[in-house]
Amino acid sequence: MFAVGHMAIAYLLGKGSSKALRVKFNIPILLVLSILPDVDIIYDFLRGSNLHRGPTHSIVVALIAFIPLFIIYRKKSIPYFLALISHPLIGDFFIGGRVQLFWPFSTTQYGLHELGSYYIGITDPVNIALELSLFVMATLVLYKSGDWKVFFKSNKTNLVLIIPLATVLLPSTIGYPFSAPLLLTEPTLAIAHLFYLVLFSIAVLKTLSYMFKKHFQHSTKDTQTKIL
């Protein structure tokens, strides 16, 4: 599944679970967690290995990593945990399969295809239609709930959006890890990628601009104080 689908699923799960648990959640952090398992793609590229959908997609690893957060933040950490495990348990399980869900206890690969179902690849029309549907649903909820305003506020946590911008959205839009840019191979889906690309860029640039202005103002005040 492309990043658009993973982020849409994570946001919808985060929104639903936070409402049920009556807790607040940070949208940028939630979205980053949704694509974090695919860090193994970068590792494979740099090391020439083939670990994709292995250790970083394990729900065992995810659970161990979240134990301290469960102890400290309790139910507040649940939306973030759901965002993380939704990547292998929902997105990759149904699209592509071959997920080592119980690594390191087992390297057995799981997925809808492994259970005997029709294989749905990442570029399969079924997946494209599914991701676009999820994107539309998530965007509508984002708009109606007013959550979109988060990306137009100056908040330091918005800087974490640099991660999906640099590692997933921009690379996939121009080509990597695919043989050609999404704009050429899947133009409809590329629009969804560009939407997030622009939205995240605005959030990051607005926050950096605010931080720069604040730093500049402090520097000016310090200079004036020394002169006086």
Side-chain angles (χ1 to χ4, degrees):
M1 180 169 278
F2 289 94
V4 168
H6 286 304
M7 290 191 291
I9 291 173
Y11 171 69
L12 293 172
L13 282 175
K15 190 67 177 177
S17 61
S18 65
K19 186 175 182 179
L21 297 169
R22 296 182 180 179
V23 297
K24 294 181 179 181
F25 69 101
N26 184 285
I27 296 175
I29 293 177
L30 191 87
L31 297 179
V32 169
L33 285 172
S34 73
I35 56 96
L36 194 60
D38 276 345
V39 69
D40 56 6
I41 294 179
I42 299 175
Y43 182 85
D44 285 348
F45 175 74
L46 296 175
R47 300 298 298 270
S49 57
N50 187 27
L51 293 176
H52 186 46
R53 300 198 174 189
T56 61
H57 288 64
S58 169
I59 58 174
V60 175
V61 173
L63 183 59
I64 293 174
F66 261 80
I67 287 177
L69 299 177
F70 285 138
I71 295 174
I72 299 172
Y73 299 104
R74 300 188 179 185
K75 66 179 183 179
K76 291 181 180 179
S77 60
I78 292 178
Y80 302 102
F81 181 68
L82 292 178
L84 180 62
I85 65 172
S86 70
H87 184 115
L89 274 181
I90 301 178
D92 287 352
F93 184 88
F94 287 94
I95 310 301
R98 302 191 302 275
V99 188
Q100 296 180 33
L101 291 177
F102 301 105
W103 186 95
F105 301 117
S106 172
T107 56
T108 301
Q109 297 178 335
Y110 296 88
L112 195 63
H113 176 64
E114 281 70 24
L115 295 178
S117 179
Y118 163 71
Y119 177 76
I120 305 175
I122 194 170
T123 57
D124 192 289
V126 173
N127 180 52
I128 301 300
L130 177 62
E131 296 213 36
L132 287 174
S133 299
L134 287 168
F135 168 71
V136 171
M137 288 174 58
T139 303
L140 287 175
V141 175
L142 191 72
Y143 175 73
K144 290 186 176 181
S145 65
D147 285 345
W148 60 272
K149 296 176 183 178
V150 169
F151 301 99
F152 293 87
K153 294 180 180 180
S154 300
N155 192 315
K156 289 183 179 180
T157 56
N158 283 349
L159 295 180
V160 300
L161 294 172
I162 293 175
I163 297 174
L165 277 172
T167 62
V168 180
L169 294 174
L170 185 58
S172 62
T173 301
I174 62 177
Y176 181 80
F178 312 107
S179 58
L182 282 181
L183 288 170
L184 298 178
T185 59
E186 300 293 343
T188 307
L189 191 60
I191 293 174
H193 271 245
L194 289 173
F195 173 82
Y196 282 123
L197 190 64
V198 172
L199 194 63
F200 293 0
S201 296
I202 290 174
V204 170
L205 291 175
K206 191 172 182 63
T207 300
L208 289 175
S209 176
Y210 171 77
M211 292 174 65
F212 175 78
K213 288 179 180 179
K214 191 174 182 180
H215 176 73
F216 179 76
Q217 289 174 351
H218 280 303
S219 299
T220 303
K221 287 182 180 180
D222 291 339
T223 303
Q224 290 175 345
T225 302
K226 289 180 181 179
I227 294 175
L228 295 174

